[in-house]
Amino acid sequence: LVLARMFQRYCHSNWAAILLTATASFGTLVLPFSKTFNNHTPAFVSAVLAVQAVVMIAVEGRRHWGWFAAAGFFAAFVCCNELPAAAFGLISFLWLAKLDLRKTLIVYVPFAIVPLAAFIYTNFEVTGGLKPFYMYYATEKYNYVESGVPSYWVNPKGIDQAKDDPATYLFH
């Protein structure tokens, strides 16, 4: 709904807004990922909410602290769910800092620290280190047996087997 409203507001035609909404809804992996417990769905929703907040500040000129809080919190939460999205968080921070450095530092940053601190804390509790969990791939943190039941990663299936060489994987 947030994207549909944004598309409706900024597209020059209803057809373009409908096409963009349909593409975002059915032409991405958002719908298939929403059927399983995963990190991608909350990352997508957070990205949409962060984009909405940034658009309200940057395009609409709304400088209410609530938009800065939403932008900071959701941009950081995207990063917590999809680490490559750190670039997204950095770009949103820099863009808003350029527009209003004071509110970005006073509001955006503290609200961004909340999910980032929770991520760092829980990651440390689980791994005993500061590296993201997936950097422990192929270690005892992934390949374990609990109460006689091995983790999925002891014998992964399908695409998770990662049998492709790096060039093929990158191509795909």
Side-chain angles (χ1 to χ4, degrees):
L1 290 174
V2 171
L3 280 178
R5 287 183 182 141
M6 204 177 323
F7 296 150
Q8 185 67 40
R9 184 176 188 116
Y10 297 109
C11 287
H12 294 293
S13 71
N14 285 338
W15 177 245
I18 291 168
L19 181 62
L20 282 171
T21 302
T23 302
S25 300
F26 306 112
T28 67
L29 290 174
V30 172
L31 189 60
F33 276 136
S34 69
K35 297 177 182 182
T36 62
F37 181 69
N38 64 75
N39 59 307
H40 306 293
T41 305
F44 174 78
V45 171
S46 297
V48 168
L49 295 174
V51 166
Q52 179 193 29
V54 170
V55 166
M56 296 308 284
I57 295 165
V59 177
E60 297 289 327
R62 298 186 188 180
R63 298 293 197 265
H64 187 270
W65 70 268
W67 290 117
F68 283 86
F73 181 86
F74 290 115
F77 195 65
V78 173
C79 300
C80 293
N81 285 281
E82 297 282 358
L83 292 183
F88 172 80
L90 181 62
I91 289 168
S92 71
F93 168 78
L94 293 173
W95 192 2
L96 295 182
K98 182 179 177 184
L99 296 174
D100 192 329
L101 180 60
R102 184 174 177 274
K103 279 192 180 165
T104 302
L105 293 176
I106 293 173
V107 183
Y108 179 105
V109 170
F111 276 86
I113 288 173
V114 172
L116 292 174
F119 173 79
I120 291 167
Y121 172 77
T122 55
N123 191 72
F124 186 80
E125 285 294 310
V126 170
T127 66
L130 295 176
K131 294 189 306 187
F133 185 76
Y134 62 78
M135 292 185 76
Y136 292 97
Y137 185 74
T139 70
E140 72 284 348
K141 292 185 188 330
Y142 262 84
N143 302 326
Y144 60 86
V145 177
E146 179 68 35
S147 301
V149 179
S151 80
Y152 170 80
W153 297 104
V154 170
N155 187 22
K157 308 284 187 257
I159 194 171
D160 291 335
Q161 290 177 327
K163 291 182 177 180
D164 294 335
D165 62 274
T168 303
Y169 182 81
L170 181 63
F171 174 74
H172 290 152

